[in-house]
Amino acid sequence: MNHSGAESNQRAAVEVTKDKNGIEQVILQNTRGASVRVSLHGGQILSWRTDRDEELLFTSSKAIFKPPQAVRGGIATCFPQYGSRGLLEQHGFARIKIWVFDENPPPLHPNDSNGKAYTDLLLKPSEEDLKAWPHSFEFRLRVSLAEDGYLTMISRIRNINCKPFSFSFAYRTYLSISDISEVRIEGLETLDYLDNLCEKQRFTEQGDALTFESEVDRVYLSSSDVIAVFDHEKKRTFTIQKQGLPDVGVWNPWEKKSKSIVDFGDEEYKKMLCIDGAAVEKPITLKPGEEWTGRLELTTVPST
């Protein structure tokens, strides 16, 4: 299954392996040796490494890789619910289901295929899902790794029901950082946010950048399409570009909460930051036959 796009350039590769529980994973590798690992368990991205073999995503040392547990870390897809805003389990069911490969994915746009490795995963509702959330949908997730190491996720969700449905959505992204107290986020200043630590009350961000000195669990509303996370110690900046995802979830459990999370190390909050491209405040409604697209692109650049 090598749909690397650039056939003339065999070094952009797509390889399928299995984890120790027998669940298939796809490894995408670009021409420079950067890689992305995606699991069919939850359609989850478990690893994104630079061409110098540096891991850019955080996964807890206590993460559980056995369905129906969600994996603590990487990039998870929250659908059809984000957080506890709804009747389903936390963050919806997509992140705990076993997805399938599309063996013949539609090709990338010709201008887009240069040296790019990609894979398409599909989620279709089971009988059980339809009992919990009675809406028929097709969900296609395309994960691609470009020549320059950019990681892109494109979700396409189609309503194949005879009636409309609504959902919320997020890419829950655990970034690996040097130290949470050395990190700042730009692109959220002046925005309103819902604070999950204050019963989802609405506040306005006053700071000119977001820094961390205690637990944070917020959803920033109607942000611009580009957010930057500066890691001073690693001299690295993550850029998060998004389309169809107006909101941004920001989470760090800090010390006390970390100790209460079973699949999370007591001190691991120092090395991670969750920043989620999301559509939460105004759920997305699809009429029969309609399709929604949500796109997230992550890049990293050295910074001073």
Side-chain angles (χ1 to χ4, degrees), residues 4-46:
S4 61
E7 291 310 342
S8 57
N9 187 340
Q10 284 306 331
R11 288 174 310 155
V14 180
E15 180 197 343
V16 179
T17 64
K18 283 189 172 162
D19 72 8
K20 61 178 190 289
N21 294 313
I23 298 163
E24 287 190 308
Q25 299 186 342
V26 198
I27 298 164
L28 306 177
Q29 195 155 18
N30 75 0
T31 51
R32 296 178 189 172
S35 68
V36 168
R37 180 185 289 264
V38 191
S39 174
L40 289 188
H41 173 196
Q44 183 139 350
I45 297 181
L46 297 177

Side-chain angles (χ1 to χ4, degrees), residues 25-290:
Q25 299 186 342
V26 198
I27 298 164
L28 306 177
Q29 195 155 18
N30 75 0
T31 51
R32 296 178 189 172
S35 68
V36 168
R37 180 185 289 264
V38 191
S39 174
L40 289 188
H41 173 196
Q44 183 139 350
I45 297 181
L46 297 177
S47 167
W48 173 36
R49 299 183 94 87
T50 66
D51 47 16
R52 292 188 303 282
D53 210 32
E54 273 184 293
E55 179 57 65
L56 299 169
L57 300 177
F58 165 88
T59 301
S60 173
S61 60
K62 296 188 168 179
I64 299 160
F65 292 91
K66 251 196 153 83
Q69 228 8 76
V71 178
R72 172 80 58 193
I75 305 174
T77 297
C78 305
F79 169 85
Q81 178 181 306
Y82 179 64
S84 55
R85 291 173 166 76
L87 303 172
L88 299 169
E89 64 258 54
Q90 171 93 350
H91 292 317
F93 52 72
R95 69 186 190 137
I96 57 172
K97 298 297 174 191
I98 298 293
W99 294 49
V100 296
F101 291 121
D102 184 353
E103 293 292 347
N104 296 300
L108 289 170
H109 192 278
N111 305 347
D112 197 25
S113 60
N114 224 348
K116 209 176 239 193
Y118 70 101
T119 187
D120 278 22
L121 273 52
L122 303 173
L123 179 67
K124 291 186 176 154
S126 65
E127 293 297 309
E128 188 192 343
D129 300 338
L130 289 167
K131 282 196 188 93
W133 197 69
H135 306 292
S136 293
F137 64 87
E138 279 176 353
F139 188 147
R140 173 184 296 274
L141 171 65
R142 171 160 293 184
V143 180
S144 63
L145 180 65
E147 203 158 14
D148 46 21
Y150 288 25
L151 167 58
T152 306
M153 286 156 294
I154 302 172
S155 286
R156 291 189 176 86
I157 296 167
R158 180 181 289 280
N159 181 351
I160 54 173
N161 235 8
C162 50
K163 55 184 194 291
F165 63 71
S166 299
F167 61 91
S168 56
F169 182 93
Y171 292 113
R172 188 152 183 81
T173 306
Y174 285 78
L175 297 177
S176 171
I177 55 173
S178 56
D179 180 348
I180 186 65
S181 48
E182 295 288 327
V183 166
R184 72 177 203 276
I185 305 177
E186 288 186 5
L188 302 175
E189 46 282 354
T190 74
L191 296 182
D192 283 5
Y193 63 86
L194 307 176
D195 194 331
N196 290 329
L197 303 178
C198 303
E199 292 163 356
K200 302 184 174 58
Q201 278 188 66
R202 197 180 184 110
F203 298 95
T204 302
E205 181 56 58
Q206 304 296 339
D208 53 358
L210 185 59
T211 55
F212 297 86
E213 50 217 22
S214 59
E215 184 184 354
V216 172
D217 189 353
R218 298 173 182 171
V219 178
Y220 285 82
L221 306 173
S222 307
S223 84
S224 71
D225 288 340
V226 184
I227 309 293
V229 178
F230 296 86
D231 187 335
H232 302 296
E233 209 169 291
K234 279 204 173 130
K235 297 195 171 19
R236 176 157 74 207
T237 300
F238 288 100
T239 313
I240 296 149
Q241 295 198 47
K242 56 199 182 61
Q243 286 169 324
L245 301 163
D247 307 321
V248 177
V250 179
W251 182 65
N252 184 290
W254 219 254
E255 201 167 358
K256 186 165 162 255
K257 176 73 67 67
S258 295
K259 292 188 166 70
S260 71
I261 302 173
V262 178
D263 58 348
F264 192 79
D266 290 358
E267 298 289 314
E268 287 186 325
Y269 73 92
K270 294 174 182 170
K271 299 287 177 200
M272 58 69 72
L273 173 61
C274 253
I275 181 152
D276 313 337
V280 184
E281 191 197 17
K282 300 181 180 76
I284 292 142
T285 299
L286 290 180
K287 295 190 188 82
E290 273 189 334

